[in-house]
Structure formats: structure tokens, C-alpha cells
Amino acid sequence: MKIRNIVNSVMALFMLFAFAACDVLDLKPISFITNESFWQTEDDVKGALNGIYVQLRGAAEHDLYVLGEARSEILTVGIGGYGGYDIYYYNTLTQANMPISWIRYYQIVNSCNLLLKYAPNVTFSNETSRNKILAQAYTMRAFMYFVMTRTWGGI
């Protein structure tokens, strides 16, 4: 038992000295993205626009269908019953039973606002390309406001 304690003490002392001289914790992060470092090139702006479309895809997978067509005459009762969609079929949505949150839509609006704020300061090889990207961001933001106003009323 005494030899074991000595071995453990020597190992602990060795590790203490080995790691005390190491600068592992003093390293700077390799990649740190901020608004100042991101919005530099045309590719950054295109990447931001692609990110907005990815966010829209997440909303369109389920929410936009449920908030739009599912509340119209398109949705009917299936062979297996309502499947939990009766609140849409009978249009009985209330604040208490609404399964969809507005947070996802405001995240898309925020991404559009960031693009619209920083993209005009970025140098583009073609002004038409910048205008197309800005038009898409304006359109996406307007569509999100339309969906939120149609669903939740005044926003």
C-alpha cells in the first residue's frame, strides 16, 4: 500500500509539472464569427441568403402547410380518422391549442434584417447580383410578416 501511494504521488507530481508549463489553455479560437468579421465578401452575403432559405425550409416542412392549406377545404377526414388534425379541419385553433410558435418566423425576419443591413456595404462584382439578393431578402421578410399577420393578427 505504501508503494502504491508513492507511485500515485510521483505520477501526480509529474502531471502537475508537465501541465504547468503547457500553454494549451492560452490558445485563441481558430474561428470566431462576428458581424464585423463575417460581412466581408460577396460569398458571405450569398451564404447568409442560403441560410435564410434553410430556415424557411424548416418552417415550410410542417408549419406553413398547417397554417395555410390545412385550414382550407383541401384537408379532409381520412380513412384512419382525423389524425389530430381536426383543429385545422374544423378551424378551431385558439391560443391554448396552437401547436406552432411565431419564434421561427421572427428568426427568419431577423436574418433578413441582418442581410439587408450589412449587404449594401459589401463589394460585389456585379450590382445586379446584389440587387437580386436584396430583393430576395425583402420578399422573404414580407412573406414572413404576411404569414404571421394571417395567423396571429396584428404584429
Side-chain angles (χ1 to χ4, degrees):
M1 190 70 164
K2 187 175 180 183
I3 294 176
R4 187 175 180 180
N5 287 339
I6 293 172
V7 170
N8 286 341
S9 298
V10 169
M11 290 297 287
L13 195 60
F14 174 74
M15 290 175 65
L16 179 70
F17 286 125
F19 290 116
C22 187
D23 291 333
V24 173
L25 299 176
D26 295 335
L27 296 177
K28 292 184 180 179
I30 295 171
S31 175
F32 189 71
I33 299 173
T34 64
N35 283 332
E36 291 78 25
S37 67
F38 180 72
W39 302 97
Q40 301 297 320
T41 66
E42 183 176 348
D43 288 335
D44 291 343
V45 177
K46 288 179 182 178
L49 181 66
N50 288 338
I52 294 171
Y53 280 109
V54 169
Q55 289 176 313
L56 176 67
R57 186 176 191 171
E61 285 176 340
H62 177 263
D63 296 1
L64 291 178
Y65 169 73
V66 167
L67 296 176
E69 291 188 42
R71 297 174 69 186
S72 68
E73 71 281 354
I74 292 174
L75 186 67
T76 61
V77 179
I79 296 172
Y82 294 106
Y85 291 98
D86 54 333
I87 59 174
Y88 310 111
Y89 181 68
Y90 290 119
N91 206 14
T92 57
L93 286 172
T94 64
Q95 289 181 349
N97 67 2
M98 179 61 138
I100 298 169
S101 173
W102 49 266
I103 294 172
R104 176 178 285 186
Y105 302 102
Y106 271 112
Q107 288 172 339
I108 296 172
V109 168
N110 181 53
S111 296
C112 290
N113 287 339
L114 288 172
L115 190 143
L116 294 170
K117 179 179 179 180
Y118 292 107
N121 300 329
V122 175
T123 304
F124 277 75
S125 60
N126 185 354
E127 191 65 29
T128 305
S129 178
R130 178 200 324 261
N131 291 339
K132 285 182 180 179
I133 290 172
L134 292 175
Q136 290 177 65
Y138 278 118
T139 304
M140 183 76 65
R141 185 174 67 176
F143 178 62
M144 290 299 102
Y145 279 130
F146 166 73
V147 169
M148 290 187 293
T149 302
R150 180 186 65 191
T151 305
W152 291 284
I155 53 173

